[in-house]
Structures are given as structure tokens and as C-alpha cells.
Amino acid sequence: LYDSPKVFPRGVPSCATDGETMYACAMNSRNVFASTDPKSGVWTQVGTFDSDRYGDADLFIDDDGRFYMYWGWSQILPFQAVELDPKTFKEIGKPVVCFFGNYKENGFERRRPDDLIFPYFNHRPYFPEEYPWIEGPWMVKHNGKYYLQYAAIGLEFASYSHGVYVSDSPLGPFEYSPHNPLTFKTTGFMVGAGHGSTFHDKNGDLWTICMVPSFYGGG
């Protein structure tokens, strides 16, 4: 069912639910919206963040009802996280650094010019080696562990992929998974498999959604 609500965060949205209410926010926006019936298209603004710096915002509600925000969208800045007040959506404590991109250690994060599908940035050359673009944070809790998913190295590359860091706590410390990359697709007509989310369905099974370049091969 497709719905286009009149009041909803625009841009790159994130949604989370506590089982009764669904909350939504968007990248670099201060506004938080909520709905008890998302299919109705009725959303109400319920709060504002302390900051509009949450690039690729990901709102996460833990099993104990505590709210967290994860964000990161940069070649040089890290993923960060902070706990939020569930009533005011203001920050509780100081943000913590989760991890940086690390192309020297994590091979799938390397940007290779011959892997370029289309020149998303045309104001400068792509260098043989440079810092990866990490983006699209997404937190999922599974069997008591916290998995912070991220996309690298940029949607304009065929090797656009997902990696994951793991922790025993929603605020870390996080350790790089030896099973990375989580998703990876460099062959076929549709390539790239990043900037998505892993989630549990109503039966408890895990699914992953990935984004691929929709105009690969033309236009």
C-alpha cells in the first residue's frame, strides 16, 4: 500500500517502532513525527532534536524502550551515536564515536577508479586510493547483540556494499565483523548492494534490503 502523507519528514527518512507507535525522522532535520496508524497517512510532530547534524539519521528503539540516534555520512567523519530522551528527543549525555571508515584494513572499502559506474562527483578526479564514503547507518538487535550496519564505498561504485560492526551495548564499543562484507554484488545487470537495512519480520526471520543504482547502464 503506497501512501503519500501530507505531514512526513522529507529527504532520507528513518522509522522505528515500539510496537504501538511508529516514529519517523529524516537526515539533517530537527523534526520528529509519530503515528499510531501509519497506513492512515496521519503523522503528528512530537518533538525536535537538539541538532540538525544527523546525516543519514537512524532512529533505534531498544527492547527496554530507550531511544538512540545513529548517524554518519562522510569520507572523513565517523559514525556517531547518542541516547535520546523518549519524550523530548533531546540528547542524553554526549555523542560517542562508533567507528571510522578504514580502507587500509577493510578491503571492500577501497575506492578503485575502474570500479566506477558513473561520476557522481564531477568536480574532481577519483584517486587510486582515498578514504571510503561510509553512510547509511542502521542498527538491528539480534540474539542480544547490537549490529551497526553501514554502507561503503559510495553508490557510484559497482562494489557498493554493506559492512557491520558488533557490540554488546547500543553505544559500543563496536568491533569490526570478520564476516564482512555483509552484502556484495559486483556482477549482473544490477550491481551494488548498499544503503539499506536488515530487519526481523513478524516471524522473527531476518531480511536485508539493499539499494542499487537504478540508472546503471544508461542515462
Side-chain angles (χ1 to χ4, degrees):
L1 175 65
Y2 174 79
D3 182 70
S4 182
K6 294 181 179 179
V7 179
F8 193 79
R10 304 299 178 183
V12 182
S14 171
C15 292
T17 180
D18 60 8
E20 296 182 359
T21 302
M22 180 171 285
Y23 299 87
C25 62
M27 173 179 175
N28 297 337
S29 172
R30 291 180 180 269
N31 300 325
V32 187
F33 296 85
S35 178
T36 55
D37 184 12
K39 290 184 178 180
S40 70
V42 177
W43 292 80
T44 303
Q45 185 174 336
V46 293
T48 56
F49 296 129
D50 279 318
S51 172
D52 61 357
R53 70 170 180 271
Y54 302 131
D56 277 3
D58 173 44
L59 188 62
F60 170 72
I61 306 174
D62 205 347
D63 298 335
D64 58 7
R66 296 168 72 174
F67 284 59
Y68 298 89
M69 173 63 75
Y70 300 86
W71 69 95
W73 187 66
S74 176
Q75 277 186 288
I76 58 175
L77 297 178
F79 271 17
Q80 298 182 71
V82 71
E83 185 174 358
L84 301 177
D85 185 296
K87 300 298 182 182
T88 65
F89 297 93
K90 305 301 183 183
E91 295 181 1
I92 299 176
K94 295 182 178 180
V96 299
V97 172
C98 301
F99 58 86
F100 286 83
N102 187 0
Y103 74 91
K104 292 183 179 180
E105 298 292 333
N106 308 332
F108 82 96
E109 292 183 9
R110 291 179 181 164
R111 298 164 68 96
R112 300 176 178 87
D114 56 357
D115 192 31
L116 187 65
I117 300 174
F118 59 94
Y120 189 77
F121 299 104
N122 55 18
H123 62 281
R124 65 164 179 81
Y126 284 87
F127 300 104
E129 287 194 4
E130 58 182 54
Y131 289 105
W133 194 281
I134 59 171
E135 58 192 6
W138 179 266
M139 172 60 74
V140 61
K141 187 177 182 180
H142 183 67
N143 291 338
K145 296 282 188 178
Y146 295 84
Y147 296 84
L148 184 50
Q149 185 173 329
Y150 70 106
I153 50 179
L155 59 84
E156 70 271 31
F157 289 86
S159 55
Y160 194 36
S161 308
H162 276 137
V164 66
Y165 279 71
V166 189
S167 177
D168 293 322
S169 165
L171 294 179
F174 290 92
E175 293 186 4
Y176 183 78
S177 171
H179 305 293
N180 282 332
L182 179 65
T183 61
F184 191 86
K185 188 176 186 298
T186 58
T187 60
F189 177 72
M190 303 299 290
V191 296
H195 213 134
S197 59
T198 299
F199 64 96
H200 296 91
D201 66 15
K202 63 181 180 181
N203 297 318
D205 295 325
L206 282 167
W207 295 78
T208 290
I209 297 174
C210 300
M211 183 182 76
V212 299
S214 61
F215 43 93
Y216 173 59

